[in-house]
């Protein structure tokens, strides 16, 4: 199995920021699955959803997972909130679920200085009631897909990254 760390969790929970902090602390590379998809198809996620629909986006996530499995090792991978559903998630590396309550996630996004932009780029966050329902539906699935779960609510990124390093032994010989 590749020695990657795969960060999964709901939209806005801080997967990207945590991945960048982990990369800095460990010297590993980091990639983000949404960024890989946008580069691959030269289109923003928002437009893929709008023009081609969610089904096509999920197929692109699977293609990205297949590429990661073949090509990527010793890397911190941050993922889109639904990426954990790819068929081969458990073979990509150690899967770490970043957990927070849905209300804390939504409050943090809404109070962000770039709240509008953050919501605009995430089609599944536009309707808050639907977002809450999606969170409830996914919570047990995130837990089932994960090797480790970390509670990230109201915590500094540094301390979250240190906990992940301790749990997964990433960056140690
Ligand atoms: C999605 C989460 C988004 C992005 C897409 C779909 C989801 O990524 O992949 O809008 O299904 O939860 P973030 O989790 O980085 O917001």
């Amino acid at each position: 199995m590749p020695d990657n760390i795969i960060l999964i969790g709901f939209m806005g929970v801080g997967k990207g920021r945590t991945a960048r902090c982990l990369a800095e602390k460990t010297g590993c590379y980091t990639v983000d699955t949404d960024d890989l998809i946008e580069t691959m198809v030269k289109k923003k996620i928002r437009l893929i959803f709008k023009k081609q629909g969610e089904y096509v986006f999920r197929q692109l996530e699977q293609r990205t997972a297949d590429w990661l499995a073949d090509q990527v090792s010793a890397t911190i991978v941050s993922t889109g909130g639904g990426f954990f559903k790819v068929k081969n998630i458990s073979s990509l590396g150690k899967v770490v679920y970043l957990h927070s309550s849905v209300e804390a996630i939504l409050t943090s996004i809404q109070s962000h200085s770039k709240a509008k932009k953050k919501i605009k780029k995430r089609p599944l966050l536009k309707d808050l009631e639907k977002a809450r329902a999606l969170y409830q539906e996914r919570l047990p699935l995130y837990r089932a897909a994960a090797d480790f779960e970390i509670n990230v609510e109201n915590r500094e990124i540094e301390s979250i990254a240190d906990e992940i390093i301790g749990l997964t032994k990433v960056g140690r010989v």
Side-chain angles (χ1 to χ4, degrees):
M1 198 221 283
D3 49 352
N4 301 308
I5 299 293
I6 314 294
L7 300 182
I8 64 168
F10 203 66
M11 291 169 272
V13 79
K15 292 161 292 191
R17 276 179 302 142
T18 305
R20 287 189 290 278
C21 183
L22 272 172
E24 201 181 327
K25 281 178 181 280
T26 59
C28 293
Y29 284 109
T30 180
V31 294
D32 178 85
T33 59
D34 282 348
D35 290 347
L36 291 169
I37 290 171
E38 288 188 343
T39 309
M40 175 166 60
V41 299
K42 300 188 184 66
K43 237 181 246 161
K44 293 284 177 199
I45 304 293
R46 183 174 63 83
L47 290 179
I48 303 172
F49 266 77
K50 192 171 163 193
K51 299 232 153 87
Q52 290 161 287
E54 182 171 347
Y55 180 73
V56 168
F57 177 70
R58 300 301 172 200
Q59 286 181 320
L60 292 169
E61 287 193 313
Q62 185 59 59
R63 254 174 81 185
T64 304
D66 295 341
W67 177 81
L68 287 169
D70 283 350
Q71 305 293 338
V72 175
S73 63
T75 294
I76 315 292
V77 182
S78 58
T79 65
F83 183 86
F84 73 102
K85 287 192 172 175
V86 295
K87 291 194 296 273
N88 50 343
I89 186 76
S90 60
S91 68
L92 298 181
K94 289 175 183 155
V95 179
V96 179
Y97 166 51
L98 305 187
H99 176 75
S100 172
S101 69
V102 69
E103 291 313 323
I105 292 172
L106 297 179
T107 305
S108 132
I109 292 176
Q110 285 166 328
S111 57
H112 197 278
S113 57
K114 291 183 182 153
K116 257 193 169 169
K117 194 175 162 201
K118 284 191 168 279
I119 294 168
K120 193 174 172 201
K121 77 178 234 202
R122 295 178 166 97
L124 300 178
L125 266 190
K126 284 211 178 93
D127 179 328
L128 288 187
E129 276 323 300
K130 282 194 185 152
R132 285 190 181 93
L134 185 63
Y135 174 96
Q136 295 307 339
E137 178 192 316
R138 282 186 179 168
L139 181 56
L141 306 177
Y142 284 130
R143 289 186 157 146
D147 298 308
F148 304 98
E149 172 172 336
I150 315 260
N151 192 350
V152 302
E153 192 165 327
N154 294 326
R155 281 181 65 188
E156 297 294 329
I157 290 289
E158 288 269 333
S159 113
I160 296 166
D162 287 340
E163 189 179 342
I164 295 173
I165 290 169
L167 279 173
T168 60
K169 316 277 186 276
V170 66
R172 293 193 192 157
V173 189

